[in-house]
mmCIF file of all heavy atoms in Angstrom:
data_model
loop_
_atom_site.group_PDB
_atom_site.id
_atom_site.type_symbol
_atom_site.label_atom_id
_atom_site.label_comp_id
_atom_site.label_asym_id
_atom_site.label_seq_id
_atom_site.Cartn_x
_atom_site.Cartn_y
_atom_site.Cartn_z
ATOM 1 N N LEU A 100 0.863 -1.170 0.000
ATOM 2 C CA LEU A 100 0.000 0.000 0.000
ATOM 3 C C LEU A 100 0.905 1.227 0.000
ATOM 4 O O LEU A 100 1.742 1.382 0.900
ATOM 5 C CB LEU A 100 -0.904 0.025 1.232
ATOM 6 C CG LEU A 100 -2.089 -0.949 1.254
ATOM 7 C CD1 LEU A 100 -2.712 -0.970 2.651
ATOM 8 C CD2 LEU A 100 -3.130 -0.563 0.220
ATOM 9 N N ASP A 101 0.770 2.084 -0.983
ATOM 10 C CA ASP A 101 1.594 3.298 -0.998
ATOM 11 C C ASP A 101 0.814 4.430 -1.647
ATOM 12 O O ASP A 101 -0.291 4.252 -2.146
ATOM 13 C CB ASP A 101 2.938 3.059 -1.696
ATOM 14 C CG ASP A 101 2.783 2.517 -3.110
ATOM 15 O OD1 ASP A 101 1.655 2.562 -3.648
ATOM 16 O OD2 ASP A 101 3.767 2.041 -3.683
ATOM 17 N N GLY A 102 1.412 5.610 -1.570
ATOM 18 C CA GLY A 102 0.745 6.780 -2.116
ATOM 19 C C GLY A 102 -0.475 7.152 -1.300
ATOM 20 O O GLY A 102 -0.389 7.334 -0.079
ATOM 21 N N ASP A 103 -1.624 7.218 -1.954
ATOM 22 C CA ASP A 103 -2.879 7.611 -1.311
ATOM 23 C C ASP A 103 -3.469 6.415 -0.550
ATOM 24 O O ASP A 103 -4.486 5.837 -0.951
ATOM 25 C CB ASP A 103 -3.852 8.122 -2.372
ATOM 26 C CG ASP A 103 -5.183 8.588 -1.786
ATOM 27 O OD1 ASP A 103 -5.237 8.822 -0.554
ATOM 28 O OD2 ASP A 103 -6.150 8.698 -2.553
ATOM 29 N N ILE A 104 -2.876 6.068 0.563
ATOM 30 C CA ILE A 104 -3.323 4.900 1.331
ATOM 31 C C ILE A 104 -4.733 5.118 1.874
ATOM 32 O O ILE A 104 -5.576 4.214 1.845
ATOM 33 C CB ILE A 104 -2.336 4.594 2.468
ATOM 34 C CG1 ILE A 104 -1.018 4.059 1.880
ATOM 35 C CG2 ILE A 104 -2.931 3.591 3.452
ATOM 36 C CD1 ILE A 104 0.036 3.738 2.905
ATOM 37 N N GLY A 105 -5.020 6.314 2.359
ATOM 38 C CA GLY A 105 -6.350 6.597 2.884
ATOM 39 C C GLY A 105 -7.430 6.390 1.830
ATOM 40 O O GLY A 105 -8.481 5.794 2.100
ATOM 41 N N GLY A 106 -7.185 6.870 0.615
ATOM 42 C CA GLY A 106 -8.140 6.701 -0.465
ATOM 43 C C GLY A 106 -8.316 5.245 -0.861
ATOM 44 O O GLY A 106 -9.431 4.798 -1.141
ATOM 45 N N LYS A 107 -7.218 4.499 -0.861
ATOM 46 C CA LYS A 107 -7.295 3.082 -1.235
ATOM 47 C C LYS A 107 -8.070 2.271 -0.189
ATOM 48 O O LYS A 107 -8.883 1.418 -0.534
ATOM 49 C CB LYS A 107 -5.884 2.516 -1.410
ATOM 50 C CG LYS A 107 -5.161 3.093 -2.615
ATOM 51 C CD LYS A 107 -3.714 2.623 -2.691
ATOM 52 C CE LYS A 107 -3.020 3.244 -3.895
ATOM 53 N NZ LYS A 107 -1.580 2.864 -3.976
ATOM 54 N N LEU A 108 -7.826 2.547 1.084
ATOM 55 C CA LEU A 108 -8.542 1.827 2.134
ATOM 56 C C LEU A 108 -10.028 2.147 2.135
ATOM 57 O O LEU A 108 -10.841 1.347 2.615
ATOM 58 C CB LEU A 108 -7.940 2.156 3.503
ATOM 59 C CG LEU A 108 -6.549 1.573 3.790
ATOM 60 C CD1 LEU A 108 -6.021 2.100 5.118
ATOM 61 C CD2 LEU A 108 -6.580 0.055 3.803
ATOM 62 N N ALA A 109 -10.391 3.304 1.605
ATOM 63 C CA ALA A 109 -11.804 3.687 1.562
ATOM 64 C C ALA A 109 -12.582 2.912 0.499
ATOM 65 O O ALA A 109 -13.809 2.829 0.567
ATOM 66 C CB ALA A 109 -11.935 5.184 1.302
ATOM 67 N N ARG A 110 -11.887 2.315 -0.459
ATOM 68 C CA ARG A 110 -12.570 1.592 -1.533
ATOM 69 C C ARG A 110 -13.233 0.330 -0.983
ATOM 70 O O ARG A 110 -12.640 -0.397 -0.185
ATOM 71 C CB ARG A 110 -11.579 1.212 -2.627
ATOM 72 C CG ARG A 110 -10.929 2.398 -3.327
ATOM 73 C CD ARG A 110 -9.876 1.923 -4.311
ATOM 74 N NE ARG A 110 -9.121 3.034 -4.875
ATOM 75 C CZ ARG A 110 -8.029 2.888 -5.633
ATOM 76 N NH1 ARG A 110 -7.603 1.661 -5.922
ATOM 77 N NH2 ARG A 110 -7.392 3.936 -6.085
ATOM 78 N N PRO A 111 -14.453 0.030 -1.424
ATOM 79 C CA PRO A 111 -15.164 -1.161 -0.923
ATOM 80 C C PRO A 111 -14.392 -2.459 -1.136
ATOM 81 O O PRO A 111 -14.443 -3.355 -0.294
ATOM 82 C CB PRO A 111 -16.469 -1.143 -1.734
ATOM 83 C CG PRO A 111 -16.676 0.294 -2.088
ATOM 84 C CD PRO A 111 -15.301 0.855 -2.321
ATOM 85 N N ALA A 112 -13.675 -2.572 -2.242
ATOM 86 C CA ALA A 112 -12.963 -3.811 -2.543
ATOM 87 C C ALA A 112 -11.617 -3.916 -1.835
ATOM 88 O O ALA A 112 -10.965 -4.962 -1.893
ATOM 89 C CB ALA A 112 -12.745 -3.941 -4.051
ATOM 90 N N VAL A 113 -11.196 -2.852 -1.164
ATOM 91 C CA VAL A 113 -9.900 -2.873 -0.464
ATOM 92 C C VAL A 113 -10.114 -2.927 1.046
ATOM 93 O O VAL A 113 -9.857 -3.954 1.689
ATOM 94 C CB VAL A 113 -9.036 -1.655 -0.844
ATOM 95 C CG1 VAL A 113 -7.697 -1.692 -0.108
ATOM 96 C CG2 VAL A 113 -8.803 -1.628 -2.351
ATOM 97 N N GLY A 114 -10.561 -1.832 1.646
ATOM 98 C CA GLY A 114 -10.747 -1.801 3.092
ATOM 99 C C GLY A 114 -12.119 -1.370 3.543
ATOM 100 O O GLY A 114 -12.423 -1.432 4.731
ATOM 101 N N LYS A 115 -12.935 -0.868 2.600
ATOM 102 C CA LYS A 115 -14.297 -0.410 2.913
ATOM 103 C C LYS A 115 -14.294 0.608 4.059
ATOM 104 O O LYS A 115 -15.139 0.585 4.938
ATOM 105 C CB LYS A 115 -15.190 -1.601 3.260
ATOM 106 C CG LYS A 115 -16.664 -1.351 3.092
ATOM 107 C CD LYS A 115 -17.460 -2.617 3.373
ATOM 108 C CE LYS A 115 -18.934 -2.393 3.236
ATOM 109 N NZ LYS A 115 -19.719 -3.635 3.503
ATOM 110 N N GLY A 116 -13.270 1.468 4.055
ATOM 111 C CA GLY A 116 -13.166 2.496 5.078
ATOM 112 C C GLY A 116 -12.510 2.052 6.365
ATOM 113 O O GLY A 116 -12.401 2.832 7.315
ATOM 114 N N GLY A 117 -12.070 0.810 6.420
ATOM 115 C CA GLY A 117 -11.414 0.308 7.628
ATOM 116 C C GLY A 117 -10.064 0.959 7.864
ATOM 117 O O GLY A 117 -9.393 1.378 6.924
ATOM 118 N N ALA A 118 -9.675 1.033 9.121
ATOM 119 C CA ALA A 118 -8.391 1.640 9.482
ATOM 120 C C ALA A 118 -7.455 0.645 10.141
ATOM 121 O O ALA A 118 -6.377 1.013 10.584
ATOM 122 C CB ALA A 118 -8.616 2.824 10.415
ATOM 123 N N ALA A 119 -7.871 -0.617 10.214
ATOM 124 C CA ALA A 119 -7.026 -1.634 10.849
ATOM 125 C C ALA A 119 -7.187 -2.950 10.097
ATOM 126 O O ALA A 119 -8.294 -3.344 9.742
ATOM 127 C CB ALA A 119 -7.410 -1.817 12.314
ATOM 128 N N ILE A 120 -6.060 -3.611 9.848
ATOM 129 C CA ILE A 120 -6.078 -4.916 9.201
ATOM 130 C C ILE A 120 -5.241 -5.876 10.039
ATOM 131 O O ILE A 120 -4.371 -5.464 10.818
ATOM 132 C CB ILE A 120 -5.536 -4.872 7.760
ATOM 133 C CG1 ILE A 120 -4.075 -4.379 7.740
ATOM 134 C CG2 ILE A 120 -6.411 -3.994 6.882
ATOM 135 C CD1 ILE A 120 -3.425 -4.471 6.367
ATOM 136 N N GLY A 121 -5.518 -7.151 9.897
ATOM 137 C CA GLY A 121 -4.765 -8.143 10.665
ATOM 138 C C GLY A 121 -4.702 -9.467 9.939
ATOM 139 O O GLY A 121 -5.518 -9.760 9.058
ATOM 140 N N THR A 122 -3.708 -10.270 10.309
ATOM 141 C CA THR A 122 -3.536 -11.602 9.739
ATOM 142 C C THR A 122 -3.124 -12.554 10.846
ATOM 143 O O THR A 122 -2.276 -12.224 11.675
ATOM 144 C CB THR A 122 -2.449 -11.607 8.642
ATOM 145 O OG1 THR A 122 -2.811 -10.691 7.617
ATOM 146 C CG2 THR A 122 -2.295 -12.992 8.033
ATOM 147 N N ALA A 123 -3.745 -13.729 10.851
ATOM 148 C CA ALA A 123 -3.333 -14.802 11.744
ATOM 149 C C ALA A 123 -2.982 -16.013 10.894
ATOM 150 O O ALA A 123 -3.806 -16.483 10.107
ATOM 151 C CB ALA A 123 -4.435 -15.153 12.735
ATOM 152 N N LEU A 124 -1.754 -16.499 11.029
ATOM 153 C CA LEU A 124 -1.274 -17.666 10.302
ATOM 154 C C LEU A 124 -1.137 -18.812 11.301
ATOM 155 O O LEU A 124 -0.436 -18.682 12.313
ATOM 156 C CB LEU A 124 0.074 -17.356 9.655
ATOM 157 C CG LEU A 124 0.805 -18.482 8.930
ATOM 158 C CD1 LEU A 124 -0.028 -19.004 7.771
ATOM 159 C CD2 LEU A 124 2.153 -17.990 8.428
ATOM 160 N N ILE A 125 -1.817 -19.932 11.020
ATOM 161 C CA ILE A 125 -1.889 -21.038 11.974
ATOM 162 C C ILE A 125 -1.404 -22.317 11.296
ATOM 163 O O ILE A 125 -1.966 -22.738 10.280
ATOM 164 C CB ILE A 125 -3.338 -21.233 12.472
ATOM 165 C CG1 ILE A 125 -3.907 -19.899 12.992
ATOM 166 C CG2 ILE A 125 -3.397 -22.303 13.556
ATOM 167 C CD1 ILE A 125 -5.415 -19.866 13.043
ATOM 168 N N VAL A 126 -0.345 -22.918 11.855
ATOM 169 C CA VAL A 126 0.217 -24.149 11.301
ATOM 170 C C VAL A 126 0.361 -25.174 12.423
ATOM 171 O O VAL A 126 0.955 -24.857 13.459
ATOM 172 C CB VAL A 126 1.614 -23.891 10.679
ATOM 173 C CG1 VAL A 126 2.117 -25.152 9.986
ATOM 174 C CG2 VAL A 126 1.579 -22.709 9.707
ATOM 175 N N PRO A 127 -0.183 -26.379 12.295
ATOM 176 C CA PRO A 127 -1.016 -26.826 11.172
ATOM 177 C C PRO A 127 -2.424 -26.273 11.285
ATOM 178 O O PRO A 127 -2.855 -25.865 12.358
ATOM 179 C CB PRO A 127 -0.994 -28.345 11.329
ATOM 180 C CG PRO A 127 -0.829 -28.560 12.809
ATOM 181 C CD PRO A 127 0.065 -27.444 13.288
ATOM 182 N N GLY A 128 -3.131 -26.270 10.170
ATOM 183 C CA GLY A 128 -4.515 -25.816 10.154
ATOM 184 C C GLY A 128 -5.322 -26.673 9.203
ATOM 185 O O GLY A 128 -4.821 -27.076 8.147
ATOM 186 N N ASP A 129 -6.562 -26.965 9.567
ATOM 187 C CA ASP A 129 -7.409 -27.811 8.732
ATOM 188 C C ASP A 129 -8.845 -27.306 8.749
ATOM 189 O O ASP A 129 -9.165 -26.288 9.385
ATOM 190 C CB ASP A 129 -7.343 -29.277 9.194
ATOM 191 C CG ASP A 129 -7.697 -29.447 10.667
ATOM 192 O OD1 ASP A 129 -8.359 -28.551 11.233
ATOM 193 O OD2 ASP A 129 -7.302 -30.464 11.263
#
């Protein structure tokens, strides 16, 4: 994410106006 990050996060297909993102990676997972 670079440049106009605020504008990109506002897009419905990107962040839909969200200001926080997260990832949980779980190994093993089924």
Side-chain angles (χ1 to χ4, degrees):
L100 285 169
D101 55 13
D103 181 17
I104 290 179
K107 292 174 181 177
L108 289 174
R110 297 175 187 171
V113 180
K115 202 176 179 180
I120 60 173
T122 301
L124 175 61
I125 308 160
V126 186
D129 55 21

